[in-house]
Amino acid sequence: MSRTTWILVALLGGVLAGLALRISGHTSVADTLAPVGTLWLNGLRMTLVPLVFCLMTTGVASIADASGGGRIIGTTIGVFLALLILAAFAGAVVGVGLASIWPLHPVGAALAIGAKTPAPQNIDIASQIIALIPLNPIAAAAEAAMTPLIIFAAILGAAIARLPKVQRALLVDVLKATGDAMLVIVDWVLRAAPVGIFVLALDAAAKTGLDMAAGLLQYVLMLVAVLAVGLLITLTLGMVSGVGPMRFLRAAAGPLALAASTQSSMACLPALVKAAEQDLDLPPAAASTILPLATTVFRFGNVFGVVSAGLFGALLFGIHPSAAQIALACAVAVLTNIGVMGLPGAAVLLASYGPVYMTLGAPMEAMTLLIAVVALPDIVDTSANVTGQLAATTLIARWTAAPAPILGGTTAEQPSLT
């Protein structure tokens, strides 16, 4: 079985075992096993700060370096950034609205480990803004203060891009190698995920009973509903991009089918290029330039859904993030999207979802539950990513293209890459 299947089986087995212990009155067994789950969570936590810092710094350095690569590249980065900001705040609004209509029952409040990680409450916007610039980046890393650490990493990455070529390459290589080493550790920890998640699910079910299963099911369904709205938005963007609604839908059908089956934007790149060039008649130079960049740094679905995922995870543990925290989480969602280029699925969850969850005060346990049941949301998430990449490419190609010739005239001039 695949790792995802093993994790899902472990989750279901843990819930059933916990319910059996609760019915039999032997919940002390769960307390005895709980340290195993805590050790596994600590293994995930120890890689989060260095991994996000390295990915964020090298990602920003690469984007800043590429932004001087020509008119299309500059326009592309600007459009991507604007759409990702829209995605983060729109997704947050949808998530808050859905949580108010269908409130999550806080099943995690009874868990001792969840009770130790409450979110700070009633923090005003001014204090949050002042705290964005860390007085001591090393202290911020030690305290796992993700928002100021990510801001510092972004500033450092932009500064590295300004260095002479030799120094820039040296620093980027060191940080990239460090990030790769962290990914090796993450892979080691995820190999033990079935054991860790089994123990965590057993402990939760033993203490909360069927509330655990009901809360987890609602958690997944609410996230799928939010991501479905994100998919509809990307389809709408494509349909109003100027190529015609039905034409865009026909072009997107192939990449969407591949996205649903592979859950990988990278795997959909050949289908996206074919759709752009053959089905939408976009200039080959534009498609071959924009789409590869889009599949690495433009994940509309991830950014649209991550704040809601963190919000639902916090609510599941009885934690209610403030409006200031939600606003900061939107900014973190956009920034961390830059640093997760080419990462495998579980590593993407840790690197891009982890900082948002921490900003919202959601405990790591909430994210591990998402890791266990991510298969269904990931289908909708990847579909939104792929559709957004095709829609954004269509918009950018049309905005940067030279005017089309009159019928019977000469061939339309291709947009210059410089």
Side-chain angles (χ1 to χ4, degrees):
M1 293 188 294
S2 67
R3 179 180 295 174
T4 301
T5 305
W6 275 113
I7 291 174
L8 183 58
V9 169
L11 174 69
L12 295 175
V15 171
L16 293 175
L19 290 174
L21 291 175
R22 183 179 178 87
I23 293 171
S24 64
H26 292 88
T27 55
S28 59
V29 175
D31 294 329
T32 303
L33 294 176
V36 176
T38 303
L39 284 173
W40 181 74
L41 282 174
N42 288 344
L44 281 180
R45 289 188 181 104
M46 75 176 180
T47 60
L48 184 58
V49 169
L51 175 64
V52 170
F53 176 79
C54 292
L55 292 175
M56 188 70 203
T57 305
T58 55
V60 171
S62 300
I63 294 299
D65 192 36
S67 62
R71 181 168 63 94
I72 285 184
I73 296 296
T75 302
T76 297
I77 293 173
V79 171
F80 285 175
L81 181 60
L83 290 176
L84 289 175
I85 292 172
L86 168 67
F89 283 93
V93 169
V94 173
V96 170
L98 182 57
S100 64
I101 296 171
W102 190 16
L104 264 162
H105 181 64
V107 299
L111 303 179
I113 193 165
K116 294 177 183 176
T117 54
Q121 301 293 325
N122 300 321
I123 300 177
D124 60 275
I125 289 286
S127 299
Q128 293 277 16
I129 293 174
I130 292 172
L132 289 178
I133 304 298
L135 292 174
N136 185 342
I138 296 175
E143 297 169 3
M146 295 304 299
T147 305
L149 184 65
I150 287 170
I151 296 294
F152 174 72
I155 295 172
L156 179 61
I160 289 174
R162 296 285 185 176
L163 293 176
K165 183 177 180 180
V166 174
Q167 294 176 314
R168 181 173 69 245
L170 177 63
L171 283 174
V172 169
D173 287 346
V174 169
L175 289 168
K176 187 178 184 303
T178 304
D180 290 343
M182 290 300 106
L183 288 174
V184 172
I185 298 175
V186 169
D187 183 66
W188 291 345
V189 175
L190 289 175
R191 289 176 187 271
V195 176
I197 288 177
F198 174 84
V199 174
L200 291 171
L202 181 149
D203 186 46
K207 293 176 179 176
T208 64
L210 289 175
D211 284 350
M212 163 67 182
L216 181 58
L217 178 61
Q218 186 181 355
Y219 183 27
V220 174
L221 293 178
M222 290 176 73
L223 181 56
V224 169
V226 170
L227 290 169
V229 175
L231 175 59
L232 290 175
I233 291 175
T234 58
L235 287 170
T236 302
L237 285 173
M239 288 189 290
V240 301
S241 62
V243 296
M246 295 308 299
R247 188 181 184 189
F248 180 82
L249 290 177
R250 287 193 296 268
L256 274 175
L258 195 58
S261 60
T262 64
Q263 290 95 60
S264 169
S265 297
M266 286 291 186
C268 298
L269 181 57
L272 285 170
V273 172
K274 177 180 178 296
E277 294 181 357
Q278 297 183 17
D279 300 331
L280 299 178
D281 292 329
L282 300 184
S288 62
T289 302
I290 300 168
L291 278 171
L293 184 61
T295 55
T296 56
V297 302
F298 183 68
R299 292 178 171 86
F300 189 97
N302 283 33
V303 175
F304 191 91
V306 65
V307 178
S308 291
L311 174 64
F312 300 154
L315 294 174
L316 193 65
F317 280 76
I319 296 167
H320 297 269
S322 65
Q325 285 176 284
I326 294 173
L328 282 178
C330 292
V332 170
V334 174
L335 289 172
T336 52
N337 171 80
I338 296 172
V340 295
M341 296 183 288
L343 295 185
V348 168
L349 278 178
L350 183 64
S352 61
Y353 280 54
V356 172
Y357 273 59
M358 295 180 72
T359 302
L360 293 169
M364 186 67 74
E365 291 83 348
M367 196 178 73
T368 59
L369 291 176
L370 180 60
I371 291 175
V373 295
V374 74
L376 180 58
D378 200 25
I379 293 174
V380 190
D381 189 346
T382 308
S383 298
N385 288 340
V386 169
T387 310
Q389 289 154 8
L390 184 60
T393 300
T394 305
L395 286 169
I396 295 165
R398 292 182 63 83
W399 290 345
T400 57
I406 300 174
L407 287 176
T410 58
T411 303
E413 183 180 343
Q414 299 291 345
S416 170
L417 298 184
T418 58

